[in-house]
Amino acid sequence: QVQLVESGGGSVRAGGSLRLSCAVSGYTYSSYCMGWFRQAPGKEREGVARIDSDGNTVYVDSVKGRFTISKDNAKNTLYLQMNSLEPEDTAMYYCAAAQFYVCAFGGTYLNFDYWGQGTQVTVSS
């Protein structure tokens, strides 16, 4: 049974930093695509960053230069380092896992098979 459990969310002032973690268990594929998504109230779920098992990363334009996605394979943990946070970053953040090809063709959140429960990030001005 695949489980993804996020942690690290919280409330910060604009300009602050947070690091989100996603502990992964039961996902045995050596090739994978993993991502961070966010959803603000009344808005569609948005892809923030993704990483594949080759280490290739992709970011949405609004977070480039501020966020960094990484994965520690030894710990089976996905991270999202968020710096220079802005009020517009306020949302529920989710981690998700998919097959490797999803990263290759730029799939949407609909193509991800497994999801965590989410962790709230609130940035005040």
Side-chain angles (χ1 to χ4, degrees):
Q1 181 180 358
V2 178
Q3 284 191 316
L4 287 74
V5 180
E6 301 97 334
S7 61
S11 297
V12 297
R13 299 286 295 272
S17 299
L18 285 173
R19 188 176 80 156
L20 305 183
S21 299
C22 174
V24 183
S25 61
Y27 194 81
T28 59
Y29 297 103
S30 58
S31 297
Y32 58 79
C33 173
M34 299 200 70
W36 286 98
F37 295 79
R38 64 187 180 187
Q39 189 166 18
K43 294 189 176 181
E44 190 172 345
R45 188 165 297 192
E46 174 189 41
V48 175
R50 61 186 63 185
I51 185 168
D52 67 23
S53 45
D54 288 341
N56 300 304
T57 58
V58 176
Y59 298 90
V60 68
D61 286 347
S62 60
V63 308
K64 285 180 180 177
R66 301 189 297 123
F67 291 10
T68 303
I69 188 172
S70 63
K71 190 174 185 293
D72 186 329
N73 290 323
K75 296 182 178 180
N76 287 329
T77 302
L78 181 73
Y79 300 100
L80 184 68
Q81 178 66 46
M82 305 186 295
N83 299 327
S84 301
L85 282 161
E86 303 169 353
E88 293 74 21
D89 297 316
T90 295
M92 184 72 79
Y93 282 70
Y94 301 89
C95 65
Q99 296 183 56
F100 179 85
Y101 73 87
V102 172
C103 276
F105 81 78
T108 71
Y109 70 90
L110 296 172
N111 300 111
F112 281 74
D113 303 307
Y114 304 100
W115 292 84
Q117 82 289 351
T119 186
Q120 178 68 37
V121 172
T122 303
V123 185
S124 59
S125 57

